[in-house]
Amino acid sequence: MARSNLTLLTDFYELTMMQAYFEAERKGRLQQHAVFDMFYRKNPTQSGYAIIAGVQQVVEYIEQLHFTDDDAHYLREMGMFSQAFVDYLKNFTFTGDIWAIPEGTVVFPGEPLIKVKAPIIQAQLVETALLNIINHQSLIATKASRVCYAAGNDVVLEFGLRRAQGPDAGLYGARAAIIGGCHGTSNVLAGRMFGVPVRGTHAHSWVMSHESEFDAFVKYSDLYPHDCTLLVDTYDTLRSGVPNAIRTFELMRDNGVEFQRYGIRLDSGDLAYLTKEARTMLDAAGFHTAMISASGDLDEYLIADLKAQGAKINAWGVGTHLITSGDYPSFGGVYKLTAETDPRGNWSPRLKVSDNLAKLTNPGEKRLFRFYDKETGKAKADLVMLADEKPIDEGKDITLFDPLATWKSMTLKSGEFYTRELLEPLFVGGRAVQPVRDVMQIRKYYLSEIATLWDEHKRLNKPQLFPVDLSKHLYNLKQGMLKIIKNY
């Protein structure tokens, strides 16, 4: 499928700032370069973590980044941009460097998810689209991860297309949901575009359009004998739906059908009570392998409650609350300047100050490392450090401290931990350097990632916060800059 050019998917002020940088350079000022970090400040949906998603679409966006003649004409007609600037845009290409944490990685507030290092006129343009892409898909991937955690080893399917906020949200939300652990989606176009499993059953209208419920079930089973899930709550789940499903399965068995994927689905009612009763009925008829799936305004909290009540559900179709992240509609990622060149071309750190402590940024170009316990493979802490610091020596003890409460610290003993650098090159000199990864491969990677978290960080309610610390050099730089700014 052809990829669209999203160059004008930007806020207007990005273009007005670009023109200001352009005019400054025309007047003889040295071309300014900058480093921007994308990060977020608070985990969505009261989670103890988030899952980054959308990186591949960022790659596609950057590769397609160019202003067409029609784009240039439109901007010129606005009356805000000079002909010289519009002519510059006609030849615009991205030449900078971008680093990103791989899709499907567990991430935490305050750490750079994406780092852009480029001429500031280029780095400024990509801000809005980058945030739009990463914010939405990371939000849905995180919600999916929580839903799948609540479901345990059960199958989870994304069923939200009809409730998504438009086609793009439905498509890329389905992709993100797969990355966050879902086993499949009802979205056929997402299946085609991203190569992910497509699943579904039938609607109540199928049953209602036949003379009887049993007739509807039999005709459906004739068409799909090896993938036959019957919706049993159109009329009366226990008195009609389940008995008619059992009659259908008996007929299939008598006709020599080898059952592969079959069972029932419920979309309403007391799912705990109904599924326990349905399980008893199916087992009594000899259909011990029949799946029981459920849908209907599910989220991670309801799934957890139903499982605690002993609901006999093997598969969960989660729609509205997953595809919209119903209880937390925005990821909240931001894109902030952290370093730039001075008039002589030397790099200088930049710090955004705010009375709101959460909006205080970390200055300078940075790297990000994750520490793991060597014995268990579990993640211990993340460390944000300056790009020009010495590499971490795993042969020595290291002490990490909370940058907001410095008396809180942990010492990791040499030989008991190992590290991994999380930010990987995505673009070098404007060229993509990472191979395209299949969405199901990303999902497999995610499963290995989520397994590195302790259960206390994955709790649905009041999870333990994961440590994201600053190196001493970065902490001291930040404190020193704050003192200078306060005394200015």
Side-chain angles (χ1 to χ4, degrees):
M1 179 168 290
R3 297 177 294 181
S4 57
N5 175 13
L6 301 179
T7 303
L8 289 187
L9 186 70
T10 189
D11 290 305
F12 185 61
Y13 80 166
E14 309 288 15
L15 294 168
T16 58
M17 286 189 287
M18 287 178 70
Q19 179 167 246
Y21 290 129
F22 173 78
E23 292 298 333
E25 188 177 341
R26 286 183 73 198
K27 293 175 182 177
R29 183 177 174 182
L30 184 69
Q31 186 184 59
Q32 199 172 354
H33 286 66
V35 175
F36 284 83
D37 286 348
M38 186 208 161
F39 61 95
Y40 71 104
R41 299 186 177 110
K42 182 180 179 182
N43 285 320
T45 64
Q46 303 180 52
S47 181
Y49 64 93
I51 304 298
I52 183 172
V55 175
Q56 182 55 43
Q57 195 183 9
V58 168
V59 173
E60 295 170 4
Y61 160 70
I62 296 293
E63 289 183 325
Q64 293 287 317
L65 197 60
H66 70 282
F67 292 85
T68 65
D69 289 341
D70 287 344
D71 294 338
H73 177 75
Y74 168 73
L75 294 175
R76 187 74 182 92
E77 290 295 305
M78 296 180 81
M80 287 286 290
F81 303 108
S82 69
Q83 186 62 52
F85 177 60
V86 172
D87 289 342
Y88 160 77
L89 294 181
K90 288 181 180 180
N91 298 307
F92 180 92
T93 56
F94 183 82
T95 62
D97 303 332
I98 300 178
W99 292 258
I101 296 177
E103 280 194 275
T105 302
V106 174
V107 294
F108 304 98
E111 54 192 30
L113 308 183
I114 295 182
K115 178 174 72 173
V116 177
K117 186 176 185 179
I120 196 167
I121 194 171
Q122 299 178 23
Q124 197 71 68
L125 173 63
V126 304
E127 173 183 6
T128 303
L130 188 152
L131 287 171
N132 176 274
I133 293 167
I134 298 297
N135 275 335
H136 172 247
Q137 295 187 48
S138 298
L139 177 70
I140 305 306
T142 304
K143 187 68 170 179
S145 177
R146 288 169 57 81
V147 168
C148 292
Y149 176 73
N153 294 322
D154 298 338
V155 172
V156 177
L157 303 174
E158 184 278 310
F159 276 5
L161 178 59
R162 61 189 61 190
R163 301 289 177 83
Q165 284 98 343
D168 279 354
L171 282 171
Y172 288 97
R175 180 185 186 276
I178 297 294
I179 289 174
C182 288
H183 297 77
T185 177
S186 66
N187 188 327
V188 179
L189 184 55
R192 178 192 170 195
M193 287 179 63
F194 307 124
V196 299
V198 178
R199 297 278 296 277
T201 57
H202 62 77
H204 293 291
S205 59
W206 172 259
V207 176
M208 296 164 65
S209 68
H210 290 76
E211 290 186 5
S212 71
E213 188 175 50
F214 179 63
D215 182 46
F217 287 174
V218 170
K219 289 182 178 178
Y220 192 83
S221 69
D222 286 343
L223 280 171
Y224 310 108
H226 301 302
D227 191 357
C228 182
T229 300
L230 303 174
L231 183 60
V232 296
D233 66 343
T234 302
Y235 302 122
D236 188 311
T237 300
L238 298 181
R239 292 182 181 180
S240 173
V242 177
N244 280 323
I246 289 173
R247 288 175 63 197
T248 303
F249 298 148
E250 288 173 339
L251 183 61
M252 294 169 66
R253 182 174 58 193
D254 292 344
N255 290 333
V257 172
E258 294 184 7
F259 291 107
Q260 295 180 16
R261 189 159 58 202
Y262 76 109
I264 63 172
R265 175 167 74 93
L266 290 84
D267 192 53
S268 60
D270 185 340
L271 295 177
Y273 168 73
L274 292 174
T275 59
K276 284 187 281 188
E277 292 296 308
R279 183 77 271 163
T280 299
M281 296 166 71
L282 288 164
D283 289 349
F287 298 108
H288 303 279
T289 58
M291 298 280 288
I292 299 179
S293 61
S295 55
D297 289 329
L298 298 170
D299 64 10
E300 64 269 44
Y301 302 107
L302 181 52
I303 290 173
D305 284 347
L306 288 169
K307 289 182 75 68
Q309 293 163 24
K312 301 300 182 180
I313 298 171
N314 312 110
W316 308 83
V318 188
T320 304
H321 295 295
L322 171 53
I323 203 66
T324 66
S325 185
D327 60 339
Y328 200 98
S330 176
F331 191 69
V334 295
Y335 183 87
K336 298 299 181 184
L337 178 71
T338 63
E340 65 179 345
T341 52
D342 61 24
R344 294 183 296 276
N346 299 314
W347 283 98
S348 298
R350 292 291 181 264
L351 175 69
K352 179 186 180 297
V353 178
S354 173
D355 291 335
N356 183 343
L357 189 61
K359 292 190 174 184
L360 192 66
T361 62
N362 292 318
E365 182 181 355
K366 294 175 285 293
R367 299 168 73 182
L368 176 64
F369 288 84
R370 181 158 296 166
F371 290 76
Y372 297 88
D373 181 84
K374 187 170 285 188
E375 181 178 351
T376 64
K378 299 291 187 181
K380 297 282 290 182
D382 283 1
L383 181 68
V384 186
M385 58 190 297
L386 293 169
D388 59 1
E389 288 190 53
K390 292 181 180 179
I392 296 169
D393 187 349
E394 296 180 3
K396 295 182 179 179
D397 296 355
I398 185 169
T399 298
L400 307 177
F401 62 92
D402 186 328
L404 299 179
T406 56
W407 64 91
K408 296 181 181 179
S409 63
M410 71 169 78
T411 298
L412 304 177
K413 298 292 185 179
S414 64
E416 296 181 0
F417 71 90
Y418 62 94
T419 61
R420 170 191 169 204
E421 186 163 7
L422 294 183
L423 284 167
E424 297 180 351
L426 199 64
F427 282 84
V428 175
R431 292 176 177 264
V433 295
Q434 286 285 347
V436 176
R437 290 198 298 165
D438 176 83
V439 175
M440 298 307 290
Q441 290 178 327
I442 299 173
R443 180 184 182 274
K444 183 177 180 181
Y445 164 76
Y446 154 77
L447 293 175
S448 67
E449 269 289 291
I450 199 69
T452 66
L453 279 189
W454 297 96
D455 284 341
E456 52 262 39
H457 300 303
K458 294 186 281 190
R459 280 199 303 261
L460 298 180
N461 291 295
K462 297 183 179 180
Q464 181 69 25
L465 297 181
F466 186 86
V468 177
D469 300 330
L470 305 182
S471 70
K472 288 183 180 179
H473 291 292
L474 177 53
Y475 177 83
N476 290 337
L477 172 65
K478 184 174 182 177
Q479 295 302 313
M481 293 181 70
L482 279 171
K483 289 180 181 178
I484 293 172
I485 292 170
K486 287 180 179 180
N487 294 328
Y488 181 72

